Amino acid sequence: MEAYKIAEIVPDHAEKGLGIYDALTKKLLYNRGIDTREKADKFLNPNYERDSYDPFLILNMEKAVSRVLKAIDNKEKIVIYGDYDCDGIPGSVVLHDFFKKISYKNFSNYIPHRHNEGYGLNTKAIDGFAKDGVSLIITVDLAITDVEEVKHAESLGINVIVTDHHLPQEILPKAYAVINSKQAGDKYPDKMLSGAGVAFKLVQALIKKRGKEWGIKDGWEKWLLDMAGLAAIADLVPLQNENRLIAYYGLKVLRKSPRVGLQKLLRKMNVNQVTLTEGDVAFMIAPRINAASRMDVPHEAFRLLSTEDESVADELSDHLHNLNDTRKGLVAGMVREAKIRVEEREIKDVIVIGNPKWRPGVLGLLASRLVEDYGRPAFVWGRGEEIELKGSCRSDGTVNIVELMTSVREGVFINVGGHEFSGGFSISHENVHLLEDELISVYGRVKKENYIVPKVLIDCALTLDEVDNETYGKIEKLAPFGIGNPKPAFLFENIEIAGVKNFGKEKNHLELIFKNSQGEKISAIGFFTGAGDYKSEIEIGRKINLVATIEKSFFRNRAELRLRIVDIL
């Protein structure tokens, strides 16, 4: 059980602080760093008015709002320039919906083409905006490192308001205003908002400043939380602090969102909107939004989420659904090739692998898979339309991936960016052959032992008799789950397998059947896994130790409580 850690016993001070709660809830709260009644009440009962911070606490927000209001007053042409992923696209929809709400018509949304234009602000696009009379660009989820591009825009008389959440580098772009709570001097209480979350705070500030004049009712902006919440869950920001509030209310709005494109997409996936979970967002909606940029034109995903036209929504939901299927096949082939090549040689501290034929849009998926399978930071490169090679990288939890990239000698990378555990880079054909040695040479120095996190924290041991609606109700109060608030995992010790079967069209999913003391069947599901994938033998009559989460399935609109297999020990 070296990959697992069983949570420690709740200490006396936390027992006392959480005194009104039952034993399981105390345990789950304490395991998530919550040890007082005040913290527990805030965590279990999010309140929009109480827990939403003043957007003007973000550095430069006042300046940004003043510039946007000036543009509105003067009917200037505005471009919302959003990233092409499931953070930038929902964030772009947030600003789009705001301008539509106030009946401002002189704006447009621009999503760069991942393969033709690459990540971030694009000089050719900026030149086009200048010819078109644009005087203000508002970025969403990008441009914190686009020093030259912002300089170019400002030289053409286009002001740029950067809204981003990626890690700032030493030199910031000289934009009209930079809104990013990670920048030096910013005292905003939550440094970990998603890109869409930052865009939402800009809208919140604009409404706070002039909402009454526009006739906007108090709280209208909550309807935009479906997009901000979608991004918070999809972009893997920690679901703590204000992000928990955004994800919590975001799911509530998603469950009743009138967005016709979202509704059509959910029907295509056989997902019930009313019972939508964070898992549906992360594993069903987000991949289809991201498929647009990975495989085709990212603006199509923006259109899906922003359209009010039924026929357009129907066509686009079909398109993205099919693109995602194509993407799955492509990634599966890349994973097979990569694993063969990795295992042909000694596996080092950092995995570096690439192929000029690999599409940059899907490299992040491959990097994540390599980290999962080999427990090493992974750097994967390919080639798009540009001369240089493009890559994605993921951390295994032992290192800040951006710090690792910026620690190699100057000139190895052309460009780098990203989060603590996820990043992207560009590199020349000549330097890519040096990349593995360069990264390994600094890894030992940059590696931080306190980053290492066990594969799974086991919250506590349960019996099969405790797999019931009462237990599930206690767990559900901690949702939504994600980074910083993992779904509770439990150890079921020495339980006897009563049935084994494979299911699905390709029989590539596993179901184990157990019985509680009353003889009632309890099923445990493992998707894309088989009996041979575990160290223990899986056969009827054998007793095993099972690590699992508890979930409620609504397959074919029938509620069923079941276990989701994490591992079999």
Side-chain angles (χ1 to χ4, degrees):
M1 286 182 51
E2 66 275 3
Y4 299 89
K5 176 183 177 184
I6 297 179
E8 61 189 67
I9 296 170
V10 179
D12 290 342
H13 80 274
E15 278 280 357
K16 186 176 180 181
L18 301 170
I20 66 163
Y21 296 104
D22 61 89
L24 178 59
T25 301
K26 286 180 188 175
K27 184 74 172 159
L28 299 180
L29 288 170
Y30 179 72
N31 292 349
R32 284 151 187 78
I34 299 163
D35 58 1
T36 68
R37 169 77 179 273
E38 183 182 5
K39 290 178 186 175
D41 284 349
K42 186 174 180 180
F43 187 84
L44 295 175
N45 305 294
N47 181 283
Y48 182 78
E49 283 70 27
R50 180 194 67 198
D51 302 335
S52 183
Y53 299 122
D54 181 354
F56 287 101
L57 293 174
I58 299 178
L59 186 66
N60 300 323
M61 183 63 83
E62 187 77 53
K63 188 178 182 183
V65 166
S66 295
R67 182 64 185 91
V68 175
L69 293 178
K70 179 186 173 186
I72 292 169
D73 292 339
N74 295 333
K75 295 183 172 55
E76 296 178 49
K77 187 167 279 191
I78 301 170
V79 167
I80 301 161
Y81 194 114
D83 191 20
Y84 44 59
D85 68 0
C86 199
D87 187 7
I89 289 173
S92 296
V93 174
V94 167
L95 282 166
H96 167 274
D97 287 5
F98 161 73
F99 283 117
K100 294 277 282 186
K101 178 67 176 176
I102 64 171
S103 300
Y104 190 76
K105 294 182 172 58
N106 202 16
F107 82 97
S108 62
N109 282 85
Y110 190 88
I111 312 288
H113 193 289
R114 186 174 203 145
H115 307 300
N116 299 339
E117 298 176 86
Y119 175 76
L121 282 173
N122 181 277
T123 301
K124 284 186 179 178
I126 292 168
D127 289 341
F129 300 153
K131 287 178 184 176
D132 209 22
V134 172
S135 56
L136 178 63
I137 296 172
I138 305 172
T139 77
V140 181
D141 191 36
L142 53 76
I144 195 64
T145 60
D146 293 342
V147 176
E148 292 303 317
E149 290 81 1
V150 168
K151 182 180 178 182
H152 181 66
E154 293 282 347
S155 74
L156 295 175
I158 303 175
N159 287 152
V160 181
I161 294 173
V162 172
T163 81
D164 201 352
H165 74 131
H166 293 94
L167 289 170
Q169 301 301 301
E170 196 171 328
I171 301 173
L172 287 177
K174 291 184 178 178
Y176 186 89
V178 174
I179 302 174
N180 181 333
S181 56
K182 291 187 176 80
Q183 67 180 306
D186 193 297
K187 297 178 181 177
Y188 193 68
D190 195 334
K191 306 293 186 189
M192 301 304 291
L193 293 173
S194 69
V198 178
F200 175 79
K201 298 307 290 188
L202 174 59
V203 169
Q204 197 180 43
L206 286 161
I207 291 173
K208 191 170 184 177
K209 185 69 79 173
R210 201 184 276 185
K212 287 182 180 176
E213 291 180 41
W214 290 321
I216 295 177
K217 292 181 180 178
D218 286 347
W220 170 82
E221 74 274 11
K222 290 180 191 177
W223 283 105
L224 303 177
L225 285 169
D226 60 347
M227 293 295 98
L230 168 61
I233 294 166
D235 208 48
L236 303 179
V237 294
L239 298 188
Q240 301 168 331
N241 207 347
E242 193 170 23
N243 279 331
R244 174 166 172 78
L245 179 80
I246 290 171
Y248 178 86
Y249 280 99
L251 276 175
K252 284 184 177 294
V253 179
L254 280 166
R255 288 170 186 147
K256 53 186 176 184
S257 174
R259 296 185 192 277
V260 63
L262 178 69
Q263 291 175 350
K264 296 274 187 183
L265 187 63
L266 291 172
R267 286 186 203 125
K268 293 279 188 306
M269 302 183 298
N270 294 316
V271 173
N272 187 335
Q273 184 176 1
V274 176
T275 59
L276 190 74
T277 68
E278 67 274 19
D280 295 323
V281 171
F283 301 113
M284 301 294 281
I285 299 175
R288 286 159 177 81
I289 300 302
N290 283 326
S293 68
R294 297 188 196 282
M295 306 297 294
D296 194 42
V297 181
H299 200 82
E300 303 290 65
F302 168 81
R303 288 178 63 212
L304 175 79
L305 294 175
S306 61
T307 188
E308 296 175 357
D309 187 305
E310 288 261 354
S311 60
V312 170
D314 210 35
E315 178 187 335
L316 289 173
S317 59
D318 254 342
H319 179 57
L320 295 192
H321 194 56
N322 294 334
L323 273 182
N324 191 55
D325 286 341
T326 305
R327 187 270 309 164
K328 286 180 189 174
L330 180 65
V331 173
M334 290 167 59
V335 169
R336 284 193 295 271
E337 180 186 341
K339 290 181 77 169
I340 289 170
R341 289 171 54 191
V342 167
E343 291 169 11
E344 280 177 345
R345 59 196 182 99
E346 179 189 355
I347 301 174
K348 299 180 180 178
D349 288 337
V350 180
I351 293 172
V352 179
I353 193 168
N355 186 330
K357 295 179 181 177
W358 287 350
R359 296 179 68 136
V362 293
L363 295 178
L365 301 172
L366 176 55
S368 295
R369 180 62 185 271
L370 293 175
V371 170
E372 184 181 320
D373 288 350
Y374 298 107
R376 303 281 197 284
F379 285 72
V380 184
W381 56 266
R383 185 175 175 185
E385 299 294 323
E386 303 89 350
I387 296 173
E388 70 267 16
L389 301 172
K390 295 285 186 180
S392 286
C393 48
R394 299 292 184 268
S395 173
D396 63 338
T398 65
V399 67
N400 179 320
I401 206 76
V402 175
E403 186 181 349
L404 180 60
M405 288 191 285
T406 55
S407 296
V408 303
R409 63 185 174 83
E410 192 174 345
V412 172
F413 290 105
I414 296 171
N415 200 6
V416 302
H419 308 288
E420 199 171 14
F421 298 115
S422 168
F425 60 90
S426 57
I427 193 168
S428 68
H429 289 261
E430 294 76 22
N431 284 348
V432 79
H433 303 293
L434 311 173
L435 184 57
E436 182 177 75
D437 289 342
E438 292 284 347
L439 290 167
I440 288 171
S441 71
V442 296
Y443 173 75
R445 173 162 53 86
V446 177
K447 180 181 176 182
K448 295 177 175 62
E449 294 299 331
N450 61 351
Y451 272 39
I452 299 174
V453 179
K455 185 177 178 185
V456 171
L457 175 73
I458 297 174
D459 283 274
C460 62
L462 290 182
T463 67
L464 290 174
D465 287 347
E466 292 174 288
V467 181
D468 57 20
N469 284 313
E470 182 183 351
T471 299
Y472 179 74
K474 294 171 184 175
I475 295 167
E476 193 178 27
K477 287 180 181 177
L478 278 73
F481 301 108
I483 300 295
N485 180 30
K487 198 166 190 177
F490 304 102
L491 177 64
F492 297 89
E493 296 180 279
N494 203 33
I495 56 175
E496 185 176 326
I497 300 172
V500 181
K501 74 173 184 179
N502 297 313
F503 67 99
K505 286 182 182 177
E506 300 174 18
K507 302 295 181 187
N508 56 345
H509 311 307
L510 176 68
E511 180 178 15
L512 302 181
I513 303 295
F514 304 95
K515 290 185 179 179
N516 63 18
S517 64
Q518 305 300 310
E520 297 167 333
K521 289 202 302 186
I522 307 287
S523 70
I525 302 294
F527 290 107
F528 301 103
T529 187
D533 293 335
Y534 302 99
K535 292 178 182 177
S536 298
E537 285 190 42
I538 308 299
E539 57 184 31
I540 293 173
R542 183 173 289 275
K543 291 189 175 182
I544 60 168
N545 293 323
L546 173 70
V547 181
T549 60
I550 301 176
E551 64 183 22
K552 188 170 281 189
S553 164
F554 292 93
F555 183 63
R556 291 176 179 163
N557 293 321
R558 187 172 65 87
E560 178 198 4
L561 205 62
R562 68 187 186 190
L563 302 176
R564 174 72 72 93
I565 300 170
V566 175
D567 206 349
I568 298 169
L569 309 175

